[in-house]
Amino acid sequence: MSDLSKGSQSSNSFTLAEIASHIGGEVSGDAQHKISSMGTLASADASQLSFLSNPKYTSELKTSKAGAVILAQAQADEYKGNAIIHSNPYVGFALASQLLDSTPSQSAGISVNASISQSASIGKNVSIEAGAVIGKNVVIGDGCQIGAGVYIGENARLGNDCIIRANVTIYHGVVLGNEVSVHSGTVIGADGFGYANNKGTWIKIPQTGAVQIGDGTEVGANSCIDRGALDDTQIGKNCIIDNMVQIGHNCIIGDHSCICGSTGIAGSVTIGKHVIIAGGVGINGHITICDNVQVTGFSMVTKNITESGVYSSGMPAVPTREWQKNTVKLRSIDKLYERVKILEQQQSSSEA
């Protein structure tokens, strides 16, 4: 990719030649055509760039008014408009979207309404908005953006260029790598769910570990990553964690893994690299999932997964009347099993 940076030109517009250079593509058509934003094939106008990666939307290509479209070579051969040819149009779309991103960024500077401990270390070009509270001995690296109402507890450390959105809570001792992004409402480093039962009374186990999160990982809104009971909870680099995900104490999640929304992961789970956990999945504690596994939505993982592949257990939705009929049949499965056993025994006796 090129060294173009967002907003390097007035009004944040770029020529197709510049965009193609940035995303590693090749222009077909007017290389000097100016693009200022992204749009869908159906809605984009002449100032916008679109893309085609899903064959489902191929029909929209013929009528699209987009200024240019990111395409694979096979589609580009049949397209008459401006195009950027890319080996992976969806990756090209992601890279172009970063270049044309219009999301407001905080200006460097520290609000007079932020509360910052005198022992905290704040790097260069850091933005800290009103209402943020920075605790004792916190270290914040260069270029970080700390949103309004953020709390960062004692001895926490943030690497360079982290983005912490409004109202995030980062407990004591948490360590974030470089370029970690955390969205609003998320809590990192709350106590893990550790209790011992003594004759019906719950006794709390102090959670004295912390949380470590690797470079380039993004955590969605309203998620919870619990601190370890003794050792640290560990999230690898370049992981993507969706909204409303629960990660229990002492979990280890490998690099480049994806955890989708509303998934609940119990304590002491080890998840390998390049694992994709779909939405609404439940994972029992103290199990291991190896590298390169995909778990489909609403599955329940109750034991180790030791071979890469796709795993499922959730029941897909069917019309209610069909579901009711199937439920009645499932209730009779024990009786059916016993009848089959008897028939098999009778068959074996007759053959003897």
Side-chain angles (χ1 to χ4, degrees), residues 159-220:
N160 297 331
D161 300 312
C162 292
I163 300 176
I164 311 300
R165 307 288 183 179
N167 300 315
V168 166
T169 298
I170 298 175
Y171 277 59
H172 58 282
V174 169
V175 178
L176 307 186
N178 299 322
E179 299 181 0
V180 173
S181 178
V182 184
H183 288 269
S184 294
T186 284
V187 177
I188 300 176
D191 281 0
F193 201 56
Y195 301 87
N197 192 290
N198 182 25
K199 299 177 181 179
T201 298
W202 293 108
I203 300 174
K204 183 175 178 61
I205 300 170
Q207 305 292 286
T208 57
V211 177
Q212 297 184 30
I213 298 180
D215 295 349
T217 284
E218 182 159 4
V219 184

Side-chain angles (χ1 to χ4, degrees), residues 21-98:
S21 175
H22 180 74
I23 71 174
E26 180 181 345
V27 176
S28 173
D30 181 5
Q32 297 308 306
H33 185 87
K34 288 287 188 72
I35 295 293
S36 59
S37 63
M38 301 294 299
T40 65
L41 285 171
S43 66
D45 61 30
S47 68
Q48 293 180 300
L49 177 66
S50 191
F51 73 103
L52 176 63
S53 64
N54 188 334
K56 177 181 177 181
Y57 298 102
T58 300
S59 61
E60 296 181 3
L61 186 61
K62 298 178 182 178
T63 57
S64 179
K65 297 179 180 179
V69 182
I70 303 173
L71 298 168
Q73 183 66 63
Q75 285 80 24
D77 290 341
E78 302 174 4
Y79 183 59
K80 304 302 181 183
N82 295 328
I84 296 178
I85 302 168
H86 198 281
S87 59
N88 187 330
Y90 197 62
V91 170
F93 157 66
L95 295 171
S97 294
Q98 291 179 357

Side-chain angles (χ1 to χ4, degrees), residues 262-267 269 277-287 289 293-305 310-315:
S262 298
T263 285
I265 304 175
V269 170
I277 308 294
V281 169
I283 302 178
N284 275 11
H286 302 276
I287 66 173
I289 298 174
V293 165
Q294 295 184 35
V295 180
T296 62
F298 295 97
S299 294
M300 183 67 196
V301 183
T302 60
K303 60 182 181 180
N304 293 341
I305 296 177
V310 181
Y311 293 79
S312 303
S313 72
M315 295 292 289

Side-chain angles (χ1 to χ4, degrees), residues 182 186-194 207 210-214 217-229 231-236 239-254 257-271 275 277-278 281-287:
V182 184
T186 284
V187 177
I188 300 176
D191 281 0
F193 201 56
Q207 305 292 286
V211 177
Q212 297 184 30
I213 298 180
T217 284
E218 182 159 4
V219 184
N222 295 315
S223 290
C224 295
I225 303 175
D226 291 344
R227 67 192 312 107
D231 296 330
D232 293 347
T233 300
Q234 299 177 42
I235 313 296
C239 292
I240 50 175
I241 298 171
D242 201 356
N243 301 336
M244 295 186 290
V245 170
Q246 162 64 28
I247 299 176
H249 58 181
N250 298 108
C251 285
I252 298 174
I253 297 177
S257 287
C258 167
I259 314 293
C260 295
S262 298
T263 285
I265 304 175
S268 299
V269 170
T270 298
I271 294 175
V275 171
I277 308 294
V281 169
I283 302 178
N284 275 11
H286 302 276
I287 66 173

